[in-house]
Amino acid sequence: MEKLELKALGKINLGLDVLGKRPDGYHDVRMVMQTIYLYDKVILEKKNEPGIEIESSLFFLPKDENNIAWKAAKLLMDEFLLREGIRISLEKHIPVAAGMAGGSTDAAAVLYGMNRMFQLGLSLSQLMERGVTLGADVPYCLMRGTVLAEGIGEKLTPLPPLPSCQILVAKPPISVSTRMVYEKLDSGRIENHPDIDGILEGLKDRNLEKVARSMGNVLEGVTEKEYPVISRIKEQMLEAGALGAMMSGSGPTVFGIFRDRKSVKQAYAMVRKQKLAKQVYMAGVHNVRRR
């Protein structure tokens, strides 16, 4: 296999709770993650010369060791003493620095793809063990689907799939540093924790309305204070008929859950017209897990 093309799927957080800060500086979290059908295209090509080359559709993304996809390739090349090189082409569609795991899912695609291309024989769990050394979201991006994430995000429990629905994604023209958000978050002062158990019950009962009612994200309190446009986009989506609307991850992307294609298309037109978001997408949910 000399060339491989993969879809690196983005994610949203149906719920994100922070339980406390660990001695190592990381935060213990409890999150419900959901893959959506908005993806980057990742193309891997073997090359005779050793080394890693990265091409990207976005000029400002790093093309060296500062790119997490580069780090993923280097990890496997060093461990398995691969003599051939790899060329990685990233066609980006997932908003960058937006709380949708755009970088992490690209890294997961590189790990998954190189394992196949070079016949390394690693299982999914073994890939996930390596992925967590690159970033807390990488193991989930390898697994995909509807998942409860605990610990720093690496302890993953598959959940019943999110009932069929449509997702509207809107990113305002700002970028947010995940590190900044967590540094400003004082977990000891969190008064309103999201109803993660309510989300789990809604998934078990296949009750989309209960899932939407139970959604919550403790990081919204930090990011919305810095960027009030996030609250305004959420309000727009709810006015347009969303069952629920929330910031994903550390933001600034906002997503809304809609019952059907007709309602999400109407909301899409409304959000685009208001021009609060620079990037607006409609996407279905993706519930196929890797094995």
Side-chain angles (χ1 to χ4, degrees):
M1 188 181 295
E2 300 297 317
K3 184 176 180 179
L4 186 61
E5 185 174 307
L6 298 164
K7 293 177 180 178
L9 300 170
K11 65 84 181 171
I12 55 175
N13 296 90
L14 300 175
L16 195 164
D17 197 7
V18 176
L19 307 181
K21 191 171 183 180
R22 297 154 46 121
D24 60 8
Y26 287 96
H27 289 79
D28 279 314
V29 297
R30 193 166 184 242
M31 306 183 292
V32 179
M33 316 270 268
Q34 175 63 52
T35 312
I36 64 171
Y37 209 71
L38 174 61
Y39 60 88
D40 294 341
K41 186 184 293 184
V42 179
I43 302 173
L44 306 178
E45 296 179 84
K46 287 183 183 178
K47 60 190 188 76
N48 294 327
E49 306 80 15
I52 305 165
E53 293 181 14
I54 289 191
E55 301 173 352
S56 171
S57 60
L58 299 180
F59 72 91
F60 55 83
L61 288 185
K63 300 178 181 179
D64 53 17
E65 64 274 8
N66 294 309
N67 189 306
I68 190 173
W70 190 99
K71 294 177 182 179
K74 187 73 163 62
L75 185 154
L76 294 181
M77 293 180 79
D78 287 351
E79 179 178 355
F80 291 92
L81 304 176
L82 301 178
R83 295 181 180 179
E84 295 173 289
I86 189 82
R87 180 179 294 107
I88 304 168
S89 298
L90 303 176
E91 184 181 304
K92 296 290 293 179
H93 298 283
I94 301 170
V96 175
M100 297 188 69
S104 294
T105 193
D106 292 346
V110 170
L111 292 177
Y112 182 82
M114 287 184 63
N115 184 48
R116 290 179 58 190
M117 288 185 75
F118 292 96
Q119 298 181 319
L120 304 181
L122 297 172
S123 67
L124 180 60
S125 62
Q126 289 171 325
L127 287 173
M128 290 165 64
E129 289 171 6
R130 287 156 177 80
V132 74
T133 66
L134 301 170
D137 281 342
V138 177
Y140 167 73
C141 292
L142 281 159
M143 177 184 281
R144 308 198 301 199
T146 314
V147 172
L148 175 67
E150 298 174 290
I152 64 169
E154 87 289 5
K155 298 176 182 176
L156 303 177
T157 305
L159 297 171
L162 183 66
S164 179
C165 61
Q166 294 291 315
I167 307 296
L168 184 63
V169 174
K171 179 185 182 287
I174 52 177
S175 295
V176 172
S177 164
T178 299
R179 176 176 293 182
M180 178 277 291
V181 173
Y182 274 98
E183 285 177 350
K184 289 193 174 185
L185 178 73
D186 182 353
S187 58
R189 295 183 180 177
I190 298 173
E191 296 180 358
N192 298 312
H193 290 269
D195 186 7
I196 301 295
D197 289 336
I199 297 172
L200 301 184
E201 291 170 7
L203 292 170
K204 182 180 177 182
D205 297 339
R206 298 200 55 76
N207 186 332
L208 184 62
E209 288 77 10
K210 183 172 179 59
V211 172
R213 287 197 308 271
S214 303
M215 293 194 313
N217 180 350
V218 295
L219 301 183
E220 282 185 334
V222 175
T223 311
E224 285 185 352
K225 287 180 182 177
E226 298 287 329
Y227 305 104
V229 66
I230 293 170
S231 299
R232 294 173 65 191
I233 294 174
K234 284 169 55 181
E235 291 168 3
Q236 280 185 354
M237 290 192 182
L238 292 170
E239 289 174 6
L243 299 176
M246 192 177 82
M247 184 183 82
S248 184
S250 54
T253 299
V254 176
F255 71 90
I257 295 181
F258 293 82
R259 192 180 306 278
D260 52 42
R261 184 78 173 171
K262 180 180 178 181
S263 59
V264 78
K265 286 178 71 175
Q266 292 172 344
Y268 172 86
M270 183 180 296
V271 172
R272 285 291 300 270
K273 184 178 181 180
Q274 294 298 320
K275 297 183 179 180
L276 294 179
K278 184 177 182 180
Q279 296 168 275
V280 186
Y281 302 97
M282 295 179 288
V285 296
H286 186 278
N287 286 316
V288 180
R289 296 192 191 97
R290 287 194 176 113
R291 302 293 180 182

